[in-house]
Amino acid sequence: MGFFGSIGGFLGGDEIGEEINAQQGYAMGPWNQAWDDLFGEGGMQDQTFEDYQSQYDEMLNFFESSSQQAQQELRMSQAKEMGYLDTGREESMQMVGQQFDQVRGQTQAQNIMQGLSNTSWGQQSMNSVTEQQGLAEAGVATDYAQRYASTTARQGQEMGNFDQWRIGGQTSLQGKYAEGLAGLRGNWASRRIGMEGQGVGFRNRWADKQIAHTNRNVGVGLDFGANLLGSFGF
């Protein structure tokens, strides 16, 4: 401040300066508190990002658990479908066996009635029934082998499609999370810049008052010095 500024301060300027500083403290107090509430540790900004992360984690966990449950249900449905094929194959084989048991019994009865049971003709007729049964069982086996193959291929495709859907869902959630996070950061950056601008404006105004006050003290000191010198005839 210098000698003349000190004189001005002694003549009452210091009290005015202290009052200006006090007023600045009062004026900046709410701004400082608002800054801490928004950007301080554990403030609204931190809480907003924590809440956003928590909501995303909750959504992702729900998607994962739902996907796992759906995949398990799909596997159970596919296993049940294979079980139906197993049952159908077994029942078809039993039906073929029962039909040819009946044919065999009828053929044997005819051979006995005709006196052919112990002849080569009678044995050939019985062997023919056995061969026909074998062909019928082979037909059933082939049919179900084709069904098993087509069902296995289709189920594999279903599971592959499900995996693609799950991966796509995860990718979509991650993309939306990143997009929302970028927007959130942009919003808070704008808030921060706005508040910093306000703080700079407040400080500049109070700095202008301090500069003006200092200049006034210097002016008062100069006037006092001039008057003092004048009283001594200088």
Side-chain angles (χ1 to χ4, degrees), residues 26-207:
Y26 295 145
M28 292 300 295
W31 183 91
N32 291 331
Q33 183 63 51
W35 180 271
D36 289 340
D37 291 343
L38 289 174
F39 304 107
E41 183 177 358
M44 188 179 296
Q45 177 181 248
D46 290 346
Q47 189 63 45
T48 299
F49 281 100
E50 289 176 5
D51 291 344
Y52 182 77
Q53 184 66 48
S54 177
Q55 291 173 2
Y56 170 74
D57 292 340
E58 183 178 352
M59 184 182 301
L60 184 61
N61 289 335
F62 175 77
F63 178 79
E64 288 292 342
S65 62
S66 299
S67 299
Q68 291 175 0
Q69 182 178 355
Q71 188 176 45
Q72 183 178 2
E73 291 176 354
L74 178 59
R75 285 173 177 166
M76 291 175 61
S77 175
Q78 291 180 345
K80 185 180 293 185
E81 186 177 15
M82 283 297 186
Y84 291 150
L85 285 177
D86 291 339
T87 300
R89 183 181 185 278
E90 182 179 351
E91 290 179 349
S92 295
M93 286 295 188
Q94 289 177 354
M95 186 178 298
V96 169
Q98 291 171 358
Q99 290 174 347
F100 278 92
D101 284 344
Q102 184 177 1
V103 172
R104 186 176 292 106
Q106 292 173 350
T107 301
Q108 186 175 12
Q110 290 177 357
N111 287 340
I112 292 173
M113 290 175 62
Q114 296 174 1
L116 300 174
S117 59
N118 294 323
T119 65
S120 59
W121 175 263
Q123 187 61 42
Q124 184 179 357
S125 63
M126 294 296 293
N127 291 339
S128 177
V129 173
T130 301
E131 290 175 0
Q132 291 175 6
Q133 180 178 354
L135 291 174
E137 290 175 346
V140 171
T142 300
D143 177 59
Y144 273 90
Q146 293 175 349
R147 293 189 185 187
Y148 278 119
S150 62
T151 301
T152 300
R154 177 176 51 77
Q155 289 183 352
Q157 184 64 42
E158 289 174 352
M159 194 60 69
N161 292 340
F162 180 86
D163 288 338
Q164 290 180 358
W165 171 83
R166 179 175 54 81
I167 293 172
Q170 290 175 338
T171 302
S172 177
L173 284 177
Q174 291 169 355
K176 290 179 180 179
Y177 166 77
E179 182 180 350
L181 186 61
L184 200 60
R185 286 172 175 168
N187 290 337
W188 279 102
S190 298
R191 286 189 182 185
R192 192 181 189 95
I193 292 172
M195 279 205 68
E196 286 175 344
Q198 289 178 351
V200 169
F202 289 152
R203 294 187 183 95
N204 286 340
R205 285 196 291 273
W206 288 107

